[in-house]
């Protein structure tokens, strides 16, 4: 069945399937820190953190973030650098910036109350169709669909659809098709769909149809198509960038560079780096061009970091500079920071995590 057919005929999931799903969820749900709360702020933070990050990785960040920023007002007011520090290691920092922009909007436009309305939620910075549906249904019990990649996989298999789930149109169609299946307990339904996708209807042909409450109605389970469905068109290969990373330090201080305010890792502090893989002979002049006077240079290990669209292939050097170096001629955005200060206050993206052990 195609989503467009589903829209005009019976609900995507018949009432018996919905009931079986909700019963299964009540008995099998994982206890997660953002479950068992109806606080829209907490649910919003959890959904944004979970967008690109695994549940286990999110847990400690979630606790720390909420301990320091327990409500919308606190998030709207926190200094940017502190916000980045709370997000350090989670990656995709634009999520944190968007959260703060949206918090400011909620303060100004909605008197600090997160709106109980799907369209109003959707208008907040960083809140797309999925997140608006998740907050609306989980926090406010609104019958709103929340269809992310995992839920798309469940639906494509359930209906035996070969539509390409990488396409935005497919996602939109499934979202609308799902709407009429959502029961009164919309929050449990959303979480149950997410849970089935995460723990039972898992990717790569490893679906556990034997324990799935939806199996009696599922086309892919019946026809053994879980290895084939869903169909997802290939992504563009990532661009590879070669970088030479520099740990420039004098024992007490380390050089950092502030990235431009637009683009990848916008506005974050990074270890200074140069395009290409520089040889040890090329290094002293390159380091002088950044405004430092190198005393000793040593090659350390290589590292890679994978972003959504780019892959960094890094080689790296430690560069010893004199303790009396005054930093008078440092290039734009370059600074020398006391090591203790660096650890406490500066968020260095995890792209550099192979090298943070050198920052002591
Ligand atoms: N992934 C996205 N949202 C989630 C949630 N509420 N619980 C578990 N995993 C999720």
């Amino acid at each position: 069945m195609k989503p467009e057919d589903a829209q005009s005929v019976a609900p995507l999931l018949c009432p018996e399937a919905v009931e079986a799903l909700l019963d299964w969820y009540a008995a099998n749900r994982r206890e997660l820190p953002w479950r068992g709360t109806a606080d829209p702020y907490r649910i919003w933070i959890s959904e944004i953190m979970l967008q690109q990050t695994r549940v286990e990785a999110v847990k400690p960040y979630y606790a720390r973030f909420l301990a320091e920023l327990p409500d919308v007002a606190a998030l709207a007011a926190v200094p940017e650098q502190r916000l980045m520090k709370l997000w350090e290691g989670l990656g995709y920092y634009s999520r944190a910036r968007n959260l703060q922009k949206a918090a400011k909007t909620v303060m100004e436009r909605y008197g600090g109350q997160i709106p109980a309305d799907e369209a109003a939620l959707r208008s907040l910075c960083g809140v797309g169709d999925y997140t608006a549906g998740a907050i609306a249904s989980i926090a406010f019990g609104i019958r709103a669909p929340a269809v992310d990649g995992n839920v798309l996989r469940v639906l494509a298999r359930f209906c035996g659809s070969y539509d390409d789930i990488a396409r935005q149109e497919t996602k939109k169609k499934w979202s609308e098709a799902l709407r009429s299946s959502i029961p009164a307990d919309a929050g449990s339904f959303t979480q149950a769909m997410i849970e089935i996708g995460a723990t039972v209807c898992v990717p790569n042909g490893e679906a556990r149809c034997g324990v799935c409450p939806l199996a009696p109605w599922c086309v892919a389970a019946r026809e053994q198509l879980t290895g084939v469905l869903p169909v997802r068109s290939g992504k563009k290969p990532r661009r590879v960038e070669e970088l030479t990373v520099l740990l420039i330090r004098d024992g007490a201080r380390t050089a950092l560079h502030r990235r431009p305010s637009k683009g990848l890792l916008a506005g974050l502090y990074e270890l200074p780096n140069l395009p290409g893989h520089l040889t040890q002979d090329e290094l002293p002049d390159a380091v002088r061009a950044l405004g430092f006077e190198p005393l000793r240079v040593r090659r350390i290990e290589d590292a890679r970091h994978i972003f959504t669209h780019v892959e960094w292939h890094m080689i790296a050097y430690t560069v010893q500079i004199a303790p009396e170096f005054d930093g008078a001629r440092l290039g734009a955005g370059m600074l020398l920071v006391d090591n203790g200060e660096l650890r406490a206050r500066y968020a260095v993206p995890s792209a550099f995590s192979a090298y943070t052990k050198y920052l002591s």
Side-chain angles (χ1 to χ4, degrees), residues 38 66-67 71-72 87 114 122 130-131 143-144 155 169 184-185 197 209 222 243 247 256 282 287 293 298 306 310 342:
L66 288 168
D71 51 34
V72 181
W87 207 265
I114 295 175
R122 179 71 181 81
Y130 163 77
T131 310
R143 286 184 159 111
L155 294 176
E169 303 94 272
D185 187 356
C209 302
R222 189 165 59 239
L243 292 181
L247 279 128
L256 288 182
E282 290 170 322
V287 170
E293 188 49 50
R298 183 168 67 90
I306 294 175
V310 189
L342 192 160

Side-chain angles (χ1 to χ4, degrees), residues 140-265:
F140 299 116
I142 295 169
R143 286 184 159 111
V147 176
D148 67 355
N150 291 324
V151 174
L152 270 178
R153 179 174 62 251
V154 177
L155 294 176
R157 286 175 174 168
F158 187 81
C159 296
S161 166
Y162 286 79
D163 286 7
D164 178 0
I165 65 163
R167 293 172 65 93
Q168 270 308 315
E169 303 94 272
T170 307
K171 196 168 184 174
K172 279 230 178 297
K173 279 188 206 166
W174 282 118
S175 292
E176 285 320 311
L178 188 62
R179 202 177 276 278
S180 60
S181 301
I182 303 173
D185 187 356
S188 293
F189 179 77
T190 289
Q191 303 227 51
M193 289 297 287
I194 291 170
E195 199 73 348
I196 277 280
T199 64
V200 175
C201 196
V202 292
N204 305 327
E206 290 176 17
R208 301 163 59 221
C209 302
V211 298
C212 182
L214 296 176
W217 301 273
C218 177
V219 174
R222 189 165 59 239
E223 300 181 10
Q224 302 190 342
L225 292 172
T226 56
V228 179
L229 297 175
V231 172
R232 172 188 274 279
S233 60
K235 293 193 185 128
K236 268 204 311 195
R238 278 185 292 264
R239 188 175 76 247
V240 171
E241 285 182 6
E242 295 188 334
L243 292 181
T244 300
V245 174
L246 305 171
L247 279 128
I248 304 173
R249 63 219 178 128
D250 68 2
R253 299 173 299 171
T254 304
L256 288 182
H257 173 255
R258 184 155 200 200
R259 289 182 65 89
S261 59
K262 292 245 156 18
L264 187 67
L265 304 175

Side-chain angles (χ1 to χ4, degrees), residues 30 32 34-35 46-47 50-51 55 130 138 148 150 191 194-195 198:
R30 292 170 294 174
L32 300 175
W34 44 89
R35 292 197 170 148
S46 73
E47 289 300 338
L50 287 161
Q51 266 169 19
V55 164
Y130 163 77
I138 300 171
D148 67 355
N150 291 324
Q191 303 227 51
I194 291 170
E195 199 73 348

Side-chain angles (χ1 to χ4, degrees), residues 7 44 84 91 99-100 121 129 145 170 178 190 193 198 209-210 219 243 250 283 297 303 351:
Q7 215 169 350
W44 174 37
M84 292 300 115
L99 267 178
Q100 185 167 52
L121 287 164
D129 292 334
T170 307
L178 188 62
T190 289
M193 289 297 287
C209 302
V219 174
L243 292 181
D250 68 2
L283 218 60
V297 167

Side-chain angles (χ1 to χ4, degrees), residues 85 88-89 93 256 268-271 342 346-353 356 359:
K85 191 70 191 167
E88 185 183 25
Y93 289 80
L256 288 182
L268 296 176
Y269 291 92
E270 65 180 353
L271 294 173
L342 192 160
Y346 289 81
V348 178
S350 40
F352 297 96
S353 63
T356 45
L359 301 177

